[in-house]
Amino acid sequence: MHGPSMAGWLLVVLCAAAGTYCLLRRHGCAGEDRRAAGGEALMAFGMAVMALPAAVVAQPQWAWLVYAVVFGAAAVRALWAVRPWAGRHLPHHLHHLMGSLAMVYMAVAMTGTWSGAGGAHVGHSVASGASGIPLLTGVLLLYYSGYVLRTGSRLVPVAAHPGGALAWSVRPELALACRLSMGMAMLAMLFTL
């Protein structure tokens, strides 16, 4: 396995590991943290499936439409969680909204809706190079670059939790590392779009 296939498999492993950790974290949390961990698990596993190398697993055209519908529903749920009209502004839910919309965008790009000469064809994965709208892809790349830099800088000075030892599944630095790896995976997927 060399080239794009290797990058695809690395993204699959990274995203599947992040999704597994998010599920474990979900069981150790309550309230908003539990819902956020569930949303992150959905995002991570969705990214893992979308990154499967097309040379190994050729996904049917309808699968990309299913991904668009699933992540469209996740975007609506994230928008409802934010509810700007109700005075709730939770930055993490805004990030989930942005991530869900980015996933919808990539899934629609893979259907070939925007394809021209270099567009997507049946059986390609995101890691194989579909064609999207350059301006929108650039905006998403800027957003995720900023997100990765901000999350990475927050990871460096994480101090010990004052309430004693925490279970490893709910440690704040592991949650940040998980979000950082998912942000970097999203950047890689957008670069190949």
Side-chain angles (χ1 to χ4, degrees):
M1 292 190 323
H2 299 291
S5 181
M6 176 63 93
W9 283 116
L10 290 173
L11 281 174
V12 169
V13 170
L14 176 70
C15 294
T20 302
Y21 172 73
C22 290
L23 285 179
L24 292 173
R25 194 174 88 234
R26 186 175 189 273
H27 290 294
C29 298
E32 287 294 324
D33 290 335
R34 183 178 173 92
R35 282 187 283 280
E40 289 170 357
L42 173 68
M43 183 72 63
F45 286 124
M47 289 168 57
V49 171
M50 288 176 76
L52 285 169
V56 178
V57 180
Q59 297 189 37
Q61 186 74 8
W62 58 264
W64 298 108
L65 296 173
V66 170
Y67 300 147
V69 169
V70 167
F71 286 105
V76 169
R77 186 173 187 277
L79 182 62
W80 180 254
V82 173
R83 286 183 275 202
W85 57 87
R88 287 181 68 184
H89 297 289
L90 302 173
H92 198 70
H93 289 294
L94 289 173
H95 175 69
H96 282 222
L97 176 62
M98 187 68 134
S100 296
L101 292 174
M103 294 292 280
V104 169
Y105 168 65
M106 287 189 291
V108 170
M110 293 308 298
T111 65
T113 303
W114 298 309
S115 65
H121 302 288
V122 176
H124 283 178
S125 69
V126 172
S128 69
S131 178
I133 300 170
L135 180 62
L136 187 52
T137 303
V139 168
L140 288 170
L141 283 169
L142 283 173
Y143 171 79
Y144 275 98
S145 295
Y147 179 78
V148 164
L149 291 172
R150 189 177 127 267
T151 303
S153 69
R154 288 178 49 211
L155 184 60
V156 174
V158 170
H161 192 271
L166 288 174
W168 68 270
S169 62
V170 293
R171 303 225 14 139
E173 65 272 15
L174 290 178
L176 280 174
C178 178
R179 291 178 185 135
L180 178 64
S181 64
M182 287 175 49
M184 290 187 300
M186 185 67 83
L187 269 174
M189 291 172 76
L190 286 165
F191 270 121
T192 61
L193 192 61

